[in-house]
Amino acid sequence: MTTNDNRQHTRMAEKIAQIDSLCARARIMPVITIAREADILPLADALAAGGLSVLEITLRSAHGLTAIRLLREQRPELCVGAGTVLDLQMLAAAEEAGAQFIVTPGSTAELLKASLDSEVPMLPGTSSASDIMLGYALGYRRFKLFPAEVCGGTAALKALGGPFGDVRFCPTGGINPDNLQRYMALPNVMCVGGTWMFDSQWVKNGDWARIQQCSAEALQLLA
């Protein structure tokens, strides 16, 4: 193994440790798409007050990068990542905004390779064994299963645990209070992503107390 290979292996091991740490802290990771800039701080505060302090801010809206910048500046106690990163331009923009981790809905060789040279850890998306193998060959061992329920849910995760014994997942998509415990009971699940704790109508109405309560109740299911 060359010096460069050793350096890359060490860097990937550090990133895996970072992902493990933030997922252990999160347990449930809110996947947030900001519709109005005015919602950024009160929504984050309500989720954090309920115990959810690791936030995935998607880049699906024009306010995504603004939200990451604002939260990194105004709420440094939170762990803020960028989700729905689709290409190299979005990856660079998310890193520039201060994202502490990157989440993608799927995997491309271009994104996986680019992330190897980044200081920011990536949780690449997967929906199949082939996706996992693409990342596995580059050293990735932590993935987002998306969309989890459509991809087979807990049955798929159990099956993937056979050939990929050292891989762990953050399933997202279709997770709710009814199936949350089944996902978290699996040994290859490190946390889950979801949106049920901040219904869009609650956000629109500024019902922050309800969001705080729902967040706390979600974590209580895992107590």
Side-chain angles (χ1 to χ4, degrees), residues 1 8-9 12-13 16 104 106-109 111-113 115-116 122-144 160-169 188:
M1 185 177 287
Q8 191 174 89
H9 178 78
M12 180 58 78
I16 290 172
T104 67
S107 296
T108 66
L111 268 175
L112 291 170
K113 290 176 181 177
S115 183
L116 294 177
M122 175 183 283
L123 193 61
T126 177
S127 61
S128 69
S130 295
D131 288 344
I132 297 171
M133 290 175 68
L134 183 65
Y136 198 96
L138 295 173
Y140 290 88
R141 297 295 184 270
R142 303 293 183 262
F143 296 87
K144 166 183 176 174
L160 291 169
F164 303 108
D166 57 344
V167 170
R168 299 182 73 198
F169 299 90
N188 60 347

mmCIF file of all heavy atoms in Angstrom, residues 1 8-9 12-13 16 104 106-109 111-113 115-116 122-144 160-169 188:
data_model
loop_
_atom_site.group_PDB
_atom_site.id
_atom_site.type_symbol
_atom_site.label_atom_id
_atom_site.label_comp_id
_atom_site.label_asym_id
_atom_site.label_seq_id
_atom_site.Cartn_x
_atom_site.Cartn_y
_atom_site.Cartn_z
ATOM 1 N N MET A 1 0.843 -1.192 0.000
ATOM 2 C CA MET A 1 0.000 0.000 0.000
ATOM 3 C C MET A 1 0.883 1.249 0.000
ATOM 4 O O MET A 1 1.822 1.360 0.788
ATOM 5 C CB MET A 1 -0.906 0.007 1.242
ATOM 6 C CG MET A 1 -1.911 1.136 1.281
ATOM 7 S SD MET A 1 -3.013 1.062 2.732
ATOM 8 C CE MET A 1 -4.070 -0.317 2.274
ATOM 9 N N GLN A 8 -5.276 8.006 2.459
ATOM 10 C CA GLN A 8 -6.688 7.945 2.102
ATOM 11 C C GLN A 8 -7.454 6.997 3.028
ATOM 12 O O GLN A 8 -8.579 7.289 3.438
ATOM 13 C CB GLN A 8 -6.834 7.496 0.650
ATOM 14 C CG GLN A 8 -8.244 7.640 0.090
ATOM 15 C CD GLN A 8 -8.306 7.331 -1.395
ATOM 16 O OE1 GLN A 8 -8.505 6.199 -1.797
ATOM 17 N NE2 GLN A 8 -8.098 8.352 -2.211
ATOM 18 N N HIS A 9 -6.829 5.872 3.376
ATOM 19 C CA HIS A 9 -7.463 4.916 4.286
ATOM 20 C C HIS A 9 -7.683 5.551 5.657
ATOM 21 O O HIS A 9 -8.742 5.386 6.270
ATOM 22 C CB HIS A 9 -6.581 3.664 4.412
ATOM 23 C CG HIS A 9 -7.122 2.638 5.349
ATOM 24 N ND1 HIS A 9 -8.149 1.780 5.005
ATOM 25 C CD2 HIS A 9 -6.801 2.334 6.641
ATOM 26 C CE1 HIS A 9 -8.434 0.997 6.030
ATOM 27 N NE2 HIS A 9 -7.631 1.306 7.032
ATOM 28 N N MET A 12 -10.519 8.127 5.460
ATOM 29 C CA MET A 12 -11.833 7.502 5.401
ATOM 30 C C MET A 12 -12.229 6.946 6.767
ATOM 31 O O MET A 12 -13.394 7.060 7.175
ATOM 32 C CB MET A 12 -11.847 6.393 4.350
ATOM 33 C CG MET A 12 -13.193 5.690 4.227
ATOM 34 S SD MET A 12 -14.568 6.810 3.806
ATOM 35 C CE MET A 12 -14.283 7.042 2.050
ATOM 36 N N ALA A 13 -11.285 6.368 7.487
ATOM 37 C CA ALA A 13 -11.582 5.855 8.827
ATOM 38 C C ALA A 13 -12.033 6.986 9.745
ATOM 39 O O ALA A 13 -12.950 6.811 10.564
ATOM 40 C CB ALA A 13 -10.351 5.159 9.409
ATOM 41 N N ILE A 16 -15.636 7.905 8.770
ATOM 42 C CA ILE A 16 -16.583 6.907 9.265
ATOM 43 C C ILE A 16 -16.845 7.140 10.746
ATOM 44 O O ILE A 16 -17.990 7.070 11.208
ATOM 45 C CB ILE A 16 -16.060 5.483 9.005
ATOM 46 C CG1 ILE A 16 -16.095 5.177 7.510
ATOM 47 C CG2 ILE A 16 -16.879 4.446 9.774
ATOM 48 C CD1 ILE A 16 -15.422 3.875 7.123
ATOM 49 N N THR A 104 -26.422 12.413 0.234
ATOM 50 C CA THR A 104 -26.887 12.366 -1.150
ATOM 51 C C THR A 104 -28.028 11.348 -1.262
ATOM 52 O O THR A 104 -28.057 10.365 -0.522
ATOM 53 C CB THR A 104 -25.756 11.951 -2.105
ATOM 54 O OG1 THR A 104 -25.380 10.596 -1.845
ATOM 55 C CG2 THR A 104 -24.541 12.848 -1.929
ATOM 56 N N GLY A 106 -28.576 9.412 -3.829
ATOM 57 C CA GLY A 106 -28.058 8.275 -4.575
ATOM 58 C C GLY A 106 -26.551 8.412 -4.697
ATOM 59 O O GLY A 106 -25.949 9.310 -4.102
ATOM 60 N N SER A 107 -25.928 7.524 -5.449
ATOM 61 C CA SER A 107 -24.475 7.534 -5.560
ATOM 62 C C SER A 107 -24.029 7.624 -7.009
ATOM 63 O O SER A 107 -24.562 6.929 -7.878
ATOM 64 C CB SER A 107 -23.897 6.260 -4.938
ATOM 65 O OG SER A 107 -24.140 6.186 -3.552
ATOM 66 N N THR A 108 -23.046 8.492 -7.254
ATOM 67 C CA THR A 108 -22.363 8.532 -8.542
ATOM 68 C C THR A 108 -20.871 8.425 -8.273
ATOM 69 O O THR A 108 -20.380 8.867 -7.222
ATOM 70 C CB THR A 108 -22.634 9.845 -9.305
ATOM 71 O OG1 THR A 108 -22.041 10.950 -8.583
ATOM 72 C CG2 THR A 108 -24.131 10.087 -9.476
ATOM 73 N N ALA A 109 -20.150 7.850 -9.203
ATOM 74 C CA ALA A 109 -18.701 7.719 -9.035
ATOM 75 C C ALA A 109 -18.057 9.092 -8.860
ATOM 76 O O ALA A 109 -17.126 9.264 -8.061
ATOM 77 C CB ALA A 109 -18.113 6.993 -10.240
ATOM 78 N N LEU A 111 -19.299 11.923 -7.506
ATOM 79 C CA LEU A 111 -19.482 12.464 -6.160
ATOM 80 C C LEU A 111 -18.698 11.672 -5.121
ATOM 81 O O LEU A 111 -18.074 12.252 -4.222
ATOM 82 C CB LEU A 111 -20.966 12.460 -5.798
ATOM 83 C CG LEU A 111 -21.776 13.709 -6.099
ATOM 84 C CD1 LEU A 111 -23.248 13.468 -5.788
ATOM 85 C CD2 LEU A 111 -21.261 14.907 -5.311
ATOM 86 N N LEU A 112 -18.730 10.354 -5.225
ATOM 87 C CA LEU A 112 -18.020 9.518 -4.256
ATOM 88 C C LEU A 112 -16.523 9.806 -4.277
ATOM 89 O O LEU A 112 -15.886 9.918 -3.220
ATOM 90 C CB LEU A 112 -18.280 8.046 -4.550
ATOM 91 C CG LEU A 112 -19.695 7.527 -4.299
ATOM 92 C CD1 LEU A 112 -19.857 6.125 -4.865
ATOM 93 C CD2 LEU A 112 -20.033 7.535 -2.804
ATOM 94 N N LYS A 113 -15.955 9.947 -5.450
ATOM 95 C CA LYS A 113 -14.521 10.206 -5.560
ATOM 96 C C LYS A 113 -14.176 11.614 -5.084
ATOM 97 O O LYS A 113 -13.152 11.825 -4.425
ATOM 98 C CB LYS A 113 -14.062 9.988 -7.001
ATOM 99 C CG LYS A 113 -14.081 8.524 -7.421
ATOM 100 C CD LYS A 113 -13.708 8.358 -8.884
ATOM 101 C CE LYS A 113 -13.750 6.892 -9.292
ATOM 102 N NZ LYS A 113 -13.459 6.695 -10.743
ATOM 103 N N SER A 115 -15.644 13.342 -2.827
ATOM 104 C CA SER A 115 -15.747 13.413 -1.379
ATOM 105 C C SER A 115 -14.532 12.820 -0.671
ATOM 106 O O SER A 115 -14.258 13.145 0.485
ATOM 107 C CB SER A 115 -17.015 12.707 -0.903
ATOM 108 O OG SER A 115 -17.164 12.823 0.489
ATOM 109 N N LEU A 116 -13.789 11.956 -1.360
ATOM 110 C CA LEU A 116 -12.600 11.355 -0.754
ATOM 111 C C LEU A 116 -11.582 12.413 -0.353
ATOM 112 O O LEU A 116 -10.858 12.248 0.629
ATOM 113 C CB LEU A 116 -11.957 10.358 -1.718
ATOM 114 C CG LEU A 116 -12.757 9.097 -2.062
ATOM 115 C CD1 LEU A 116 -12.004 8.260 -3.088
ATOM 116 C CD2 LEU A 116 -13.040 8.281 -0.806
ATOM 117 N N MET A 122 -19.270 12.254 4.090
ATOM 118 C CA MET A 122 -20.455 12.069 3.249
ATOM 119 C C MET A 122 -21.182 10.789 3.622
ATOM 120 O O MET A 122 -20.554 9.758 3.896
ATOM 121 C CB MET A 122 -20.069 12.024 1.775
ATOM 122 C CG MET A 122 -21.249 11.722 0.840
ATOM 123 S SD MET A 122 -20.756 11.574 -0.901
ATOM 124 C CE MET A 122 -20.559 13.311 -1.324
ATOM 125 N N LEU A 123 -22.517 10.876 3.621
ATOM 126 C CA LEU A 123 -23.375 9.712 3.781
ATOM 127 C C LEU A 123 -24.056 9.511 2.425
ATOM 128 O O LEU A 123 -25.087 10.114 2.133
ATOM 129 C CB LEU A 123 -24.402 9.969 4.882
ATOM 130 C CG LEU A 123 -25.198 8.781 5.429
ATOM 131 C CD1 LEU A 123 -24.282 7.751 6.058
ATOM 132 C CD2 LEU A 123 -26.221 9.264 6.445
ATOM 133 N N PRO A 124 -23.461 8.682 1.564
ATOM 134 C CA PRO A 124 -24.016 8.540 0.218
ATOM 135 C C PRO A 124 -25.293 7.703 0.201
ATOM 136 O O PRO A 124 -25.452 6.762 0.983
ATOM 137 C CB PRO A 124 -22.891 7.839 -0.556
ATOM 138 C CG PRO A 124 -22.081 7.139 0.472
ATOM 139 C CD PRO A 124 -22.228 7.919 1.744
ATOM 140 N N GLY A 125 -26.188 8.063 -0.684
ATOM 141 C CA GLY A 125 -27.448 7.353 -0.793
ATOM 142 C C GLY A 125 -27.302 6.058 -1.567
ATOM 143 O O GLY A 125 -26.475 5.930 -2.475
ATOM 144 N N THR A 126 -28.112 5.070 -1.195
ATOM 145 C CA THR A 126 -28.126 3.792 -1.884
ATOM 146 C C THR A 126 -29.542 3.242 -1.909
ATOM 147 O O THR A 126 -30.329 3.495 -0.993
ATOM 148 C CB THR A 126 -27.193 2.775 -1.210
ATOM 149 O OG1 THR A 126 -27.286 1.514 -1.879
ATOM 150 C CG2 THR A 126 -27.580 2.565 0.244
ATOM 151 N N SER A 127 -29.853 2.493 -2.950
ATOM 152 C CA SER A 127 -31.135 1.795 -2.997
ATOM 153 C C SER A 127 -30.947 0.349 -3.436
ATOM 154 O O SER A 127 -31.917 -0.358 -3.660
ATOM 155 C CB SER A 127 -32.106 2.503 -3.963
ATOM 156 O OG SER A 127 -31.571 2.517 -5.273
ATOM 157 N N SER A 128 -29.677 -0.065 -3.576
ATOM 158 C CA SER A 128 -29.412 -1.418 -4.062
ATOM 159 C C SER A 128 -28.025 -1.885 -3.631
ATOM 160 O O SER A 128 -27.176 -1.086 -3.239
ATOM 161 C CB SER A 128 -29.488 -1.458 -5.589
ATOM 162 O OG SER A 128 -28.398 -0.745 -6.149
ATOM 163 N N ALA A 129 -27.808 -3.176 -3.757
ATOM 164 C CA ALA A 129 -26.496 -3.739 -3.465
ATOM 165 C C ALA A 129 -25.432 -3.177 -4.409
ATOM 166 O O ALA A 129 -24.281 -2.963 -4.011
ATOM 167 C CB ALA A 129 -26.545 -5.262 -3.576
ATOM 168 N N SER A 130 -25.814 -2.909 -5.644
ATOM 169 C CA SER A 130 -24.861 -2.359 -6.618
ATOM 170 C C SER A 130 -24.368 -0.979 -6.195
ATOM 171 O O SER A 130 -23.184 -0.658 -6.326
ATOM 172 C CB SER A 130 -25.506 -2.280 -8.007
ATOM 173 O OG SER A 130 -25.805 -3.562 -8.498
ATOM 174 N N ASP A 131 -25.290 -0.149 -5.685
ATOM 175 C CA ASP A 131 -24.898 1.170 -5.179
ATOM 176 C C ASP A 131 -23.894 1.032 -4.035
ATOM 177 O O ASP A 131 -22.903 1.767 -3.961
ATOM 178 C CB ASP A 131 -26.121 1.935 -4.658
ATOM 179 C CG ASP A 131 -27.039 2.418 -5.763
ATOM 180 O OD1 ASP A 131 -26.610 2.444 -6.919
ATOM 181 O OD2 ASP A 131 -28.192 2.770 -5.446
ATOM 182 N N ILE A 132 -24.181 0.105 -3.135
ATOM 183 C CA ILE A 132 -23.290 -0.101 -2.000
ATOM 184 C C ILE A 132 -21.910 -0.519 -2.482
ATOM 185 O O ILE A 132 -20.882 -0.020 -2.005
ATOM 186 C CB ILE A 132 -23.871 -1.158 -1.042
ATOM 187 C CG1 ILE A 132 -25.195 -0.675 -0.451
ATOM 188 C CG2 ILE A 132 -22.876 -1.462 0.081
ATOM 189 C CD1 ILE A 132 -25.941 -1.743 0.324
ATOM 190 N N MET A 133 -21.862 -1.434 -3.450
ATOM 191 C CA MET A 133 -20.575 -1.912 -3.954
ATOM 192 C C MET A 133 -19.767 -0.802 -4.602
ATOM 193 O O MET A 133 -18.532 -0.779 -4.514
ATOM 194 C CB MET A 133 -20.803 -3.067 -4.929
ATOM 195 C CG MET A 133 -21.286 -4.334 -4.234
ATOM 196 S SD MET A 133 -21.696 -5.679 -5.379
ATOM 197 C CE MET A 133 -20.061 -6.079 -6.004
ATOM 198 N N LEU A 134 -20.458 0.150 -5.248
ATOM 199 C CA LEU A 134 -19.778 1.289 -5.865
ATOM 200 C C LEU A 134 -19.031 2.091 -4.798
ATOM 201 O O LEU A 134 -17.865 2.459 -4.977
ATOM 202 C CB LEU A 134 -20.805 2.179 -6.580
ATOM 203 C CG LEU A 134 -20.275 3.393 -7.346
ATOM 204 C CD1 LEU A 134 -19.411 2.952 -8.520
ATOM 205 C CD2 LEU A 134 -21.439 4.242 -7.858
ATOM 206 N N GLY A 135 -19.723 2.371 -3.678
ATOM 207 C CA GLY A 135 -19.072 3.093 -2.596
ATOM 208 C C GLY A 135 -18.098 2.234 -1.818
ATOM 209 O O GLY A 135 -17.042 2.703 -1.371
ATOM 210 N N TYR A 136 -18.433 0.971 -1.633
ATOM 211 C CA TYR A 136 -17.599 0.055 -0.841
ATOM 212 C C TYR A 136 -16.190 -0.034 -1.430
ATOM 213 O O TYR A 136 -15.202 -0.069 -0.692
ATOM 214 C CB TYR A 136 -18.254 -1.322 -0.812
ATOM 215 C CG TYR A 136 -17.759 -2.232 0.280
ATOM 216 C CD1 TYR A 136 -18.450 -2.336 1.492
ATOM 217 C CD2 TYR A 136 -16.613 -2.999 0.109
ATOM 218 C CE1 TYR A 136 -18.001 -3.172 2.502
ATOM 219 C CE2 TYR A 136 -16.149 -3.832 1.105
ATOM 220 C CZ TYR A 136 -16.845 -3.923 2.304
ATOM 221 O OH TYR A 136 -16.386 -4.753 3.309
ATOM 222 N N ALA A 137 -16.112 -0.074 -2.756
ATOM 223 C CA ALA A 137 -14.814 -0.184 -3.420
ATOM 224 C C ALA A 137 -13.911 1.008 -3.128
ATOM 225 O O ALA A 137 -12.683 0.911 -3.212
ATOM 226 C CB ALA A 137 -15.016 -0.326 -4.930
ATOM 227 N N LEU A 138 -14.522 2.138 -2.760
ATOM 228 C CA LEU A 138 -13.762 3.352 -2.456
ATOM 229 C C LEU A 138 -13.551 3.552 -0.957
ATOM 230 O O LEU A 138 -12.969 4.555 -0.541
ATOM 231 C CB LEU A 138 -14.487 4.579 -3.040
ATOM 232 C CG LEU A 138 -14.575 4.633 -4.570
ATOM 233 C CD1 LEU A 138 -15.465 5.784 -5.014
ATOM 234 C CD2 LEU A 138 -13.186 4.766 -5.177
ATOM 235 N N GLY A 139 -14.053 2.621 -0.156
ATOM 236 C CA GLY A 139 -13.830 2.705 1.282
ATOM 237 C C GLY A 139 -15.029 3.114 2.101
ATOM 238 O O GLY A 139 -14.963 3.143 3.336
ATOM 239 N N TYR A 140 -16.147 3.439 1.454
ATOM 240 C CA TYR A 140 -17.350 3.855 2.189
ATOM 241 C C TYR A 140 -17.963 2.643 2.896
ATOM 242 O O TYR A 140 -18.089 1.559 2.315
ATOM 243 C CB TYR A 140 -18.378 4.477 1.246
ATOM 244 C CG TYR A 140 -17.976 5.821 0.709
ATOM 245 C CD1 TYR A 140 -17.223 5.925 -0.459
ATOM 246 C CD2 TYR A 140 -18.341 6.998 1.368
ATOM 247 C CE1 TYR A 140 -16.839 7.155 -0.960
ATOM 248 C CE2 TYR A 140 -17.962 8.232 0.868
ATOM 249 C CZ TYR A 140 -17.209 8.307 -0.297
ATOM 250 O OH TYR A 140 -16.826 9.536 -0.802
ATOM 251 N N ARG A 141 -18.375 2.871 4.140
ATOM 252 C CA ARG A 141 -19.025 1.817 4.915
ATOM 253 C C ARG A 141 -20.308 2.307 5.593
ATOM 254 O O ARG A 141 -20.945 1.552 6.324
ATOM 255 C CB ARG A 141 -18.071 1.275 5.993
ATOM 256 C CG ARG A 141 -16.808 0.618 5.457
ATOM 257 C CD ARG A 141 -17.123 -0.628 4.661
ATOM 258 N NE ARG A 141 -15.911 -1.310 4.217
ATOM 259 C CZ ARG A 141 -15.286 -1.063 3.061
ATOM 260 N NH1 ARG A 141 -15.770 -0.138 2.226
ATOM 261 N NH2 ARG A 141 -14.200 -1.725 2.714
ATOM 262 N N ARG A 142 -20.665 3.553 5.382
ATOM 263 C CA ARG A 142 -21.872 4.133 5.960
ATOM 264 C C ARG A 142 -22.696 4.754 4.829
ATOM 265 O O ARG A 142 -22.175 5.554 4.042
ATOM 266 C CB ARG A 142 -21.523 5.206 7.013
ATOM 267 C CG ARG A 142 -20.626 4.694 8.148
ATOM 268 C CD ARG A 142 -21.345 3.676 9.001
ATOM 269 N NE ARG A 142 -20.542 3.225 10.130
ATOM 270 C CZ ARG A 142 -19.839 2.101 10.160
ATOM 271 N NH1 ARG A 142 -19.808 1.299 9.096
ATOM 272 N NH2 ARG A 142 -19.151 1.754 11.235
ATOM 273 N N PHE A 143 -23.991 4.388 4.771
ATOM 274 C CA PHE A 143 -24.836 4.809 3.665
ATOM 275 C C PHE A 143 -26.216 5.237 4.162
ATOM 276 O O PHE A 143 -26.664 4.827 5.230
ATOM 277 C CB PHE A 143 -25.028 3.656 2.663
ATOM 278 C CG PHE A 143 -23.780 3.211 1.970
ATOM 279 C CD1 PHE A 143 -22.949 2.256 2.552
ATOM 280 C CD2 PHE A 143 -23.427 3.734 0.736
ATOM 281 C CE1 PHE A 143 -21.793 1.826 1.920
ATOM 282 C CE2 PHE A 143 -22.275 3.313 0.088
ATOM 283 C CZ PHE A 143 -21.454 2.354 0.685
ATOM 284 N N LYS A 144 -26.877 6.027 3.340
ATOM 285 C CA LYS A 144 -28.287 6.350 3.534
ATOM 286 C C LYS A 144 -29.096 5.422 2.629
ATOM 287 O O LYS A 144 -28.843 5.376 1.418
ATOM 288 C CB LYS A 144 -28.543 7.813 3.162
ATOM 289 C CG LYS A 144 -30.016 8.187 3.005
ATOM 290 C CD LYS A 144 -30.138 9.640 2.574
ATOM 291 C CE LYS A 144 -31.588 10.023 2.311
ATOM 292 N NZ LYS A 144 -31.748 11.455 2.031
ATOM 293 N N LEU A 160 -29.449 -7.135 3.329
ATOM 294 C CA LEU A 160 -28.177 -6.489 3.011
ATOM 295 C C LEU A 160 -27.128 -6.734 4.087
ATOM 296 O O LEU A 160 -25.923 -6.667 3.818
ATOM 297 C CB LEU A 160 -28.391 -4.984 2.821
ATOM 298 C CG LEU A 160 -29.173 -4.569 1.578
ATOM 299 C CD1 LEU A 160 -29.555 -3.091 1.652
ATOM 300 C CD2 LEU A 160 -28.380 -4.853 0.311
ATOM 301 N N GLY A 161 -27.579 -7.026 5.298
ATOM 302 C CA GLY A 161 -26.643 -7.303 6.379
ATOM 303 C C GLY A 161 -25.820 -8.554 6.147
ATOM 304 O O GLY A 161 -24.745 -8.711 6.743
ATOM 305 N N GLY A 162 -26.284 -9.446 5.271
ATOM 306 C CA GLY A 162 -25.528 -10.662 4.983
ATOM 307 C C GLY A 162 -24.240 -10.387 4.229
ATOM 308 O O GLY A 162 -23.142 -10.579 4.767
ATOM 309 N N PRO A 163 -24.326 -9.914 3.008
ATOM 310 C CA PRO A 163 -23.105 -9.666 2.236
ATOM 311 C C PRO A 163 -22.310 -8.444 2.687
ATOM 312 O O PRO A 163 -21.124 -8.344 2.404
ATOM 313 C CB PRO A 163 -23.624 -9.469 0.810
ATOM 314 C CG PRO A 163 -25.028 -9.011 0.969
ATOM 315 C CD PRO A 163 -25.541 -9.703 2.190
ATOM 316 N N PHE A 164 -22.969 -7.522 3.391
ATOM 317 C CA PHE A 164 -22.290 -6.288 3.805
ATOM 318 C C PHE A 164 -22.293 -6.183 5.329
ATOM 319 O O PHE A 164 -22.928 -5.298 5.917
ATOM 320 C CB PHE A 164 -22.976 -5.072 3.167
ATOM 321 C CG PHE A 164 -23.040 -5.125 1.672
ATOM 322 C CD1 PHE A 164 -24.253 -5.351 1.024
ATOM 323 C CD2 PHE A 164 -21.903 -4.971 0.905
ATOM 324 C CE1 PHE A 164 -24.326 -5.399 -0.359
ATOM 325 C CE2 PHE A 164 -21.960 -5.024 -0.487
ATOM 326 C CZ PHE A 164 -23.174 -5.245 -1.122
ATOM 327 N N GLY A 165 -21.586 -7.067 5.963
ATOM 328 C CA GLY A 165 -21.617 -7.158 7.420
ATOM 329 C C GLY A 165 -21.028 -5.974 8.145
ATOM 330 O O GLY A 165 -21.371 -5.727 9.306
ATOM 331 N N ASP A 166 -20.139 -5.220 7.492
ATOM 332 C CA ASP A 166 -19.508 -4.076 8.150
ATOM 333 C C ASP A 166 -20.110 -2.748 7.703
ATOM 334 O O ASP A 166 -19.569 -1.682 8.003
ATOM 335 C CB ASP A 166 -17.997 -4.068 7.907
ATOM 336 C CG ASP A 166 -17.636 -4.059 6.427
ATOM 337 O OD1 ASP A 166 -18.510 -4.358 5.588
ATOM 338 O OD2 ASP A 166 -16.457 -3.772 6.108
ATOM 339 N N VAL A 167 -21.235 -2.803 6.996
ATOM 340 C CA VAL A 167 -21.908 -1.590 6.524
ATOM 341 C C VAL A 167 -23.076 -1.255 7.447
ATOM 342 O O VAL A 167 -23.797 -2.144 7.899
ATOM 343 C CB VAL A 167 -22.411 -1.775 5.074
ATOM 344 C CG1 VAL A 167 -23.324 -0.627 4.660
ATOM 345 C CG2 VAL A 167 -21.233 -1.883 4.116
ATOM 346 N N ARG A 168 -23.241 0.033 7.717
ATOM 347 C CA ARG A 168 -24.376 0.484 8.512
ATOM 348 C C ARG A 168 -25.115 1.580 7.747
ATOM 349 O O ARG A 168 -24.540 2.259 6.889
ATOM 350 C CB ARG A 168 -23.933 0.984 9.888
ATOM 351 C CG ARG A 168 -23.237 -0.100 10.708
ATOM 352 C CD ARG A 168 -22.859 0.391 12.078
ATOM 353 N NE ARG A 168 -24.032 0.528 12.934
ATOM 354 C CZ ARG A 168 -24.058 1.246 14.055
ATOM 355 N NH1 ARG A 168 -22.983 1.918 14.433
ATOM 356 N NH2 ARG A 168 -25.153 1.310 14.774
ATOM 357 N N PHE A 169 -26.397 1.741 8.105
ATOM 358 C CA PHE A 169 -27.279 2.598 7.312
ATOM 359 C C PHE A 169 -28.045 3.615 8.151
ATOM 360 O O PHE A 169 -28.319 3.392 9.332
ATOM 361 C CB PHE A 169 -28.324 1.729 6.589
ATOM 362 C CG PHE A 169 -27.749 0.727 5.632
ATOM 363 C CD1 PHE A 169 -27.424 -0.559 6.070
ATOM 364 C CD2 PHE A 169 -27.523 1.055 4.309
ATOM 365 C CE1 PHE A 169 -26.904 -1.500 5.195
ATOM 366 C CE2 PHE A 169 -27.004 0.125 3.419
ATOM 367 C CZ PHE A 169 -26.693 -1.161 3.867
ATOM 368 N N ASN A 188 -27.696 -3.114 11.886
ATOM 369 C CA ASN A 188 -27.011 -2.317 10.862
ATOM 370 C C ASN A 188 -27.673 -0.968 10.612
ATOM 371 O O ASN A 188 -27.371 -0.298 9.626
ATOM 372 C CB ASN A 188 -26.864 -3.100 9.550
ATOM 373 C CG ASN A 188 -28.198 -3.525 8.953
ATOM 374 O OD1 ASN A 188 -29.234 -3.451 9.610
ATOM 375 N ND2 ASN A 188 -28.165 -3.985 7.706
#
